[in-house]
Amino acid sequence: SYVSSGRDLLVAEEARQGTSELLIWANPDFDAAPDATSSEDAVRFSIARESRGLSFVPLPGSETEGRALRDAARAFGFDTAILHVGTNATEAALNRVRSPRALHFATHGFVLPQMETSLDAEEVGFTSANHIALTRPSAMLRSGLALAGAQHSLRARARGEEVPSQNDGIVTAEE
C-alpha cells in the first residue's frame, strides 16, 4: 500500500473489522536454504557489493520474546497469535499474510550505506560532461529485515549465484 498523506494512516473505527490476529517472526534460521519456488529475477536485491559485510547471527533471546508475546496475546486483546520461528520464519510466510491486526519482528534489521559509482560520460552517451556520478539504489532497497535463509542467500550471491528475491530471507523496505 502507498500513502500520499499522513491522514491516510488514520483508520476509521468501522474499517478496523477483520481478524484480531498477532503474527510474530522470531529467531529465524538465517542459514536455512530458502525454497527456490519463485522464478522472479534476482536483480531486486542487487546491492551485492554493499551487502558483503552483513552477517546475521542467531537470536535465541528473540525466540523467548516471541513465545512470551504469543502466550500473552489474549491479555493484549488478540483472538489468535501465530509464532514463526527458525526455518518457519520465512519471507514466503510473510508474503501470505493478509491484514493482521499486528506484526511483530524479533530479528536483525539493516541499513546499507549509499554508495556512488562513477561512469565516464562517453559510456552513457553524454557529451557535455566528462564524468557523471550515479547513486546506488534508494534507501528502500538498502534497508530491511533478515528472515530465514538470509545469510544463505547472501553467501550464494557472493559466489555469483542467482537467488530469487521472492523468498531469499531478505525483506527490503520496498518489499
Side-chain angles (χ1 to χ4, degrees):
S1 297
Y2 293 95
V3 286
S4 58
S5 168
R7 72 177 172 271
D8 293 342
L9 296 173
L10 300 174
V11 180
E13 281 302 314
E14 60 272 1
R16 289 188 173 199
Q17 294 173 349
T19 64
S20 178
E21 184 175 55
L22 170 63
L23 301 177
I24 305 160
W25 272 255
N27 195 24
D29 182 350
F30 302 117
D31 289 317
D35 264 346
T37 57
S38 172
S39 61
E40 180 184 331
D41 79 76
V43 179
R44 190 98 176 169
F45 189 74
S46 62
I47 48 182
R49 185 177 71 178
E50 294 90 335
S51 65
R52 284 186 191 145
L54 290 177
S55 179
F56 304 118
V57 296
L59 297 166
S62 73
E63 184 170 341
T64 304
E65 172 187 326
R67 290 185 189 287
L69 187 55
R70 180 198 57 199
D71 295 344
R74 284 215 183 273
F76 294 127
F78 293 99
D79 294 333
T80 59
I82 299 171
L83 176 63
H84 300 271
V85 295
T87 58
N88 294 320
T90 65
E91 184 176 359
L94 180 60
N95 289 333
R96 290 190 295 272
V97 170
R98 297 291 175 253
S99 302
R101 189 165 134 212
L103 288 170
H104 180 84
F105 295 98
T107 186
H108 290 290
F110 65 90
V111 178
L112 299 173
Q114 184 166 342
M115 306 288 281
E116 287 195 1
T117 301
S118 297
L119 292 177
D120 196 332
E122 293 163 4
E123 290 180 60
V124 291
F126 290 110
T127 55
S128 62
N130 295 333
H131 177 82
I132 189 168
L134 299 176
T135 57
R136 287 291 187 182
S138 76
M140 298 295 281
L141 284 173
R142 291 183 291 109
S143 59
L145 298 172
L147 298 179
Q151 196 67 50
H152 181 276
S153 295
L154 289 174
R155 282 193 302 268
R157 284 193 179 102
R159 293 188 302 267
E161 298 172 17
E162 288 192 13
V163 178
S165 66
Q166 188 87 4
N167 191 32
D168 61 358
I170 298 170
V171 181
T172 65
E174 181 178 81
E175 291 174 302

